[in-house]
Amino acid sequence: MKRKIAAIFAADIAGYSRLVAEDEEETLRRLASYREVVDDFIAKAGGRIFNTAGDAVLAEFPSAVDAVRCAIDIQESLRTRNMAYPPSRQMSFRIGITIGDVVERDGDLLGDGVNIAARLEGLAEVGGICVSRAVHEQVANKLSVQFADIGAQEVKNIPTPVHAYMVAMRREDGTYAKPQLKKAASKVAAAPVWMWPLVVAVVSIVAIGVSGFLYNTKLKQTASVAARAASPSASPSALPSATPAATTTAPTPMPTQLAKAPMAPTNAGAAMAPMPAPSPSAAPMTGKLNADSVPFINERVRNYLAGDYSAAGDYKAFALNVGGFTGSALNQPSEEAARNSAIEQCQKRADAAQSPRRCELYAVGNNVVYTHGKPPMPPQPFVRHDAVIERPFASKDFPIVREPQKVRLENIFAPAAKARSVALGPGGQYFMVLGASSADDAARRSLESCGAIAGVACLVVAIDDNFVVPIPTLFRITGFFNAASNASIVADARGEVMRKLTDAMGWNAVAVGIAGRPGLGLKAADEQTAVNSALADCAKRDSDCHVIAIGPFTVGPVN
């Protein structure tokens, strides 16, 4: 046996016994599939599984940073897989992590470190991660992770409370879900036996004093009431009148259910740029309802708004969210009932699909009341098909986003029904539209939703089975390229670069030298030819040239 310090990772499945009882074969099959994901992430992060039992996994890592990063990747990947199942059949892990002194015996690890990790796992939310204070101190300044301090927690078979932190888990759109804070432990030390007579005496004296004070106060109140009653000028204060609400069959949702504000999020993409609220800089939309101007919705809903909704009388309302979920209410007994019913219907649909975006009123009656402006959109045409640069969609090559998002694209976008589109924001925000009536409709809706989430215009990256923009393979994609604001290019040359790149089909590359003088490779048949042409063009007017952009993306050397 030998002792060592290790980061201990403990995980098991929430509600596993219920899942087995409902469908044993399907649960065991999915457990094997999910364990492959967990085991693979642990191995890639340099961890070692030292014990398993049923649905539980215990692993050690050389560092807390590796353990937490691995846990986040596991939870994000499994959350994506769970989206294919109804909430009652989802298989979600809880994960606990601590740093502790452990004893190794025949490959197994024993000791308080293992026990505390298991107790932290029990404190974690479903699909969440709970870590000890030691882990938090190691990780807080090394990973872009948000924590919620839940204080000291009393846990079974551990003599002293464990100070714990919840990891704020990222939603599918890049925002963070705020963990539910658990009540901190509070131990009150037992008083010595000799103190009890003193305590009783003090309590008795206080009780007598309070009783006397209340008795005197009661006498004064009684006298005051009698004096007011005897005075002819005194009049009783009016009670607030209760106005009966209009009867409606649509229940009113609680405000907290309709306006859950996420924590200040970090973007899901590699750039980790903050994700703004929908169209924060645009003025609210007002005026008369025009079905053709409503964002996020499909043609069926648009036709409904232009027909049945517009023709209906008051009271009516229409609600939506940026994910395209909608709700409407017609012929309600009051405007308030219409508002509540529309939002409730929309929110139920969004919640059933696990959409993280809340629903908001778009129209009341025939008047638009949407508090956000139109989502930022790129100029048309949204997609320019070019056989030279198009190639089959492969989730592993999807630019900017992290590995869990690539897994989600592989599991959801790739096999989905046509027409489908995925739009990408400059900070890694993205949005998919699946099963649309046409490729144009899919492209528009994905751009609207992505733009509302990102706060800036997005780019359609894939339509159906193909990438529709050039995806560099010789360089690492680092972001979106905008010649007008690119600091690498000398200011007086940016306008010329923009002009020459406009409407240039095929592969295009931009290189700059030490003085910021650009060179362009335009309308090439392949990536390498565009790169070579850009470097050669740059060398004519500058030195130490290097490629900074290919197609719509900024690029850097491959890691």
Side-chain angles (χ1 to χ4, degrees), residues 151-494:
Q153 301 289 320
E154 288 185 340
V155 293
K156 184 178 179 182
N157 295 333
I158 304 297
T160 58
V162 177
H163 198 113
Y165 294 77
M166 294 287 195
V167 176
M169 297 304 298
R170 189 162 36 229
R171 300 186 180 99
E172 64 178 281
D173 66 345
T175 64
Y176 283 89
K178 186 174 182 179
Q180 298 297 312
L181 300 184
K182 298 177 183 291
K183 187 176 180 181
S186 57
K187 279 191 174 182
V188 179
V193 173
W194 60 267
M195 288 185 65
W196 283 109
L198 179 61
V199 172
V200 171
V202 171
V203 171
S204 299
I205 292 171
V206 171
I208 293 170
V210 171
S211 299
F213 171 78
L214 293 177
Y215 178 74
N216 290 330
T217 301
K218 180 67 175 177
L219 289 177
K220 292 177 182 179
Q221 289 176 339
T222 304
S224 175
V225 170
R228 286 198 302 270
S231 172
S233 61
S235 61
S237 59
L239 293 173
S241 59
T243 303
T247 305
T248 173
T249 56
T252 302
M254 296 297 289
T256 54
Q257 294 173 330
L258 302 180
K260 295 180 180 177
M263 296 173 63
T266 300
N267 157 35
M272 294 296 174
M275 183 180 295
S279 306
S281 60
M285 296 178 69
T286 57
K288 292 296 182 181
L289 176 65
N290 179 359
D292 291 334
S293 299
V294 181
F296 318 130
I297 61 174
N298 59 33
E299 292 307 309
R300 180 182 58 80
V301 176
R302 199 176 306 282
N303 292 335
Y304 163 78
L305 288 174
D308 293 351
Y309 183 89
S310 295
D314 286 337
Y315 297 99
K316 62 187 178 184
F318 176 73
L320 52 65
N321 77 358
V322 299
F325 294 94
T326 64
S328 66
L330 306 178
N331 303 317
Q332 296 294 302
S334 67
E335 181 178 296
E336 181 182 6
R339 288 169 173 263
N340 293 337
S341 182
I343 286 184
E344 182 185 38
Q345 184 186 101
C346 177
Q347 198 65 51
K348 282 183 176 179
R349 290 171 175 171
D351 291 344
Q354 297 184 328
S355 171
R357 295 286 170 175
R358 65 186 180 94
C359 289
E360 300 178 74
L361 283 170
Y362 184 87
V364 176
N366 288 321
N367 296 315
V368 176
V369 295
Y370 195 50
T371 58
H372 306 290
K374 292 183 178 180
M377 297 285 282
Q380 293 193 17
F382 299 142
V383 178
R384 295 190 303 168
H385 290 284
D386 183 356
V388 174
I389 58 94
E390 289 190 14
R391 64 183 178 89
F393 176 83
S395 58
K396 65 181 179 62
D397 297 327
F398 197 89
I400 300 177
V401 302
R402 294 178 58 193
E403 190 62 32
Q405 282 70 48
K406 294 182 180 182
V407 172
R408 184 168 183 267
L409 288 164
E410 179 67 25
N411 292 341
I412 298 177
F413 180 78
K418 299 178 182 179
R420 59 184 185 272
S421 169
V422 57
L424 175 69
Q429 308 92 340
Y430 69 100
F431 196 90
M432 297 179 278
V433 168
L434 313 174
S437 58
S438 67
D440 288 342
D441 182 56
R444 173 188 59 79
R445 288 164 54 200
S446 65
L447 285 170
E448 287 176 337
S449 295
C450 180
I453 293 168
V456 294
C458 293
L459 171 74
V460 173
V461 173
I463 292 285
D464 292 337
D465 299 325
N466 294 315
F467 284 121
V468 293
V469 293
I471 305 294
T473 58
L474 302 178
F475 296 83
R476 176 175 55 89
I477 297 173
T478 59
F480 279 16
F481 176 64
N482 182 358
S485 60
N486 192 285
S488 299
I489 303 173
V490 66
D492 62 9
R494 294 172 189 169

